[in-house]
Amino acid sequence: MKKLLFVLMLAVMGNTFAAPRSQKAKSTRAVTTSRISESDRKEIENVIQRDMAPIFNKLLSIGINDYKKEIEKDASLFEKGFVISEPLKKEILKKYSDEIVKFILKSFDLKIKINQISYISENKVNATLDFTSRNLDKVLDIIGEKDDILYERSFKRLGYKFVDEFEKVMKNKGNEDKKRNFYNVALEETINLLNENLSEIKEENVFLSNVPVNLIKVNGKWEIENLENLRNAFN
């Protein structure tokens, strides 16, 4: 998912953000940064947070929708030997994709970090931004590490005392309601397990770094240059 989001965002930003400047120009800007007043700096920071966050949340939704389609095709959810009808597989995968996507959207925790605001002229500045998120890869890895806990909780709720008893249901034809119920319970316990461990993840992913964006002052107010073009790209 991270790679998918990176490609999507980079493709769009290639046509909407200011091109990166040379190292020589960067050092020149550093000298003139002090020419930005504190009130202008605060206004610029507020404008970036206000106007950029909705755009990147929109990009996130686009990436998540593609990720959702991948989940809906992921037959690895069903263990080898389990006899599950195709309609039930589709139903289960749809439910899993919906719930996992909800979890990701809730937990992504997008942050825009402003690295530098550099003076270009009285009515124009350049800012470089990092876009970070909670490292969900770490959270999702938890499920792989705690399969035993997941099965233990699911078995307890469903009343299975032995693996053989469970496999007798899953590896034979019929029993559609019991099979559906198992996956519903396992999904609930998966989300519970993810939420239990979410607070432990302090690490962030920087999925875009040093992104340049120009701001201009229009009628005494700062705004992002070409903001409408960027917004319209996702309508």
Side-chain angles (χ1 to χ4, degrees), residues 16-166:
T16 54
F17 288 123
R21 296 171 182 269
S22 67
Q23 191 64 39
K24 183 177 179 181
K26 192 178 291 184
S27 62
T28 302
R29 290 201 309 272
V31 172
T32 57
T33 298
S34 60
R35 297 176 66 178
I36 303 170
S37 70
E38 188 60 27
S39 61
D40 274 345
R41 181 179 298 279
K42 286 182 179 178
E43 183 182 348
I44 289 164
E45 289 174 351
N46 289 337
V47 167
I48 289 171
Q49 296 292 342
R50 181 194 70 201
D51 292 342
M52 294 303 293
I55 293 168
F56 276 82
N57 280 324
K58 179 68 173 179
L59 277 167
L60 173 61
S61 296
I62 292 170
I64 289 291
N65 284 335
D66 285 344
Y67 182 62
K68 185 172 181 287
K69 292 173 185 175
E70 290 181 22
I71 297 175
E72 290 177 2
K73 299 174 184 176
D74 189 2
S76 65
L77 181 65
F78 308 106
E79 291 191 22
K80 188 176 180 180
F82 283 9
V83 179
I84 300 172
S85 68
E86 287 303 316
L88 183 55
K89 280 184 180 179
K90 288 181 180 179
E91 176 188 328
I92 292 167
L93 284 169
K94 175 69 166 59
K95 187 165 186 177
Y96 265 68
S97 67
D98 287 346
E99 293 303 316
I100 294 297
V101 163
K102 282 181 188 176
F103 171 80
I104 292 172
L105 288 171
K106 181 189 76 173
S107 310
F108 195 73
D109 194 21
L110 174 71
K111 292 178 182 175
I112 301 171
K113 297 186 176 180
I114 302 168
N115 296 328
Q116 183 174 318
I117 301 172
S118 302
Y119 182 93
I120 296 176
S121 71
E122 185 179 353
N123 294 314
K124 188 170 186 175
V125 298
N126 175 271
T128 55
L129 318 173
D130 282 352
F131 293 85
T132 71
S133 70
R134 194 194 307 267
N135 190 345
L136 290 185
D137 289 344
K138 295 283 186 183
V139 185
L140 297 175
D141 285 345
I142 291 167
I143 296 302
E145 296 169 1
K146 298 189 176 182
D147 268 349
D148 291 345
I149 295 175
L150 187 58
Y151 270 90
E152 182 182 338
R153 291 182 179 183
S154 299
F155 278 19
K156 185 175 181 180
R157 283 181 57 183
L158 292 165
Y160 292 119
K161 294 182 179 179
F162 304 102
V163 174
D164 289 349
E165 183 183 0
F166 167 70

Side-chain angles (χ1 to χ4, degrees), residues 139-218:
V139 185
L140 297 175
D141 285 345
I142 291 167
I143 296 302
E145 296 169 1
K146 298 189 176 182
D147 268 349
D148 291 345
I149 295 175
L150 187 58
Y151 270 90
E152 182 182 338
R153 291 182 179 183
S154 299
F155 278 19
K156 185 175 181 180
R157 283 181 57 183
L158 292 165
Y160 292 119
K161 294 182 179 179
F162 304 102
V163 174
D164 289 349
E165 183 183 0
F166 167 70
E167 289 186 344
K168 186 177 180 180
V169 171
M170 302 303 291
K171 292 185 176 182
N172 287 287
K173 291 182 179 180
N175 298 311
E176 294 281 274
D177 288 342
K178 289 184 178 180
K179 292 171 182 175
R180 178 185 292 104
N181 196 30
F182 165 72
Y183 280 103
N184 286 342
V185 169
L187 174 59
E188 289 175 12
E189 292 301 336
T190 297
I191 299 299
N192 289 341
L193 197 57
L194 287 169
N195 282 319
E196 286 168 18
N197 290 274
L198 189 62
S199 61
E200 297 176 13
I201 305 302
K202 306 301 181 185
E203 183 179 336
E204 293 183 334
N205 278 332
V206 180
F207 58 87
L208 285 173
S209 63
N210 292 320
V211 175
V213 57
N214 286 338
L215 292 94
I216 53 176
K217 186 178 276 189
V218 179

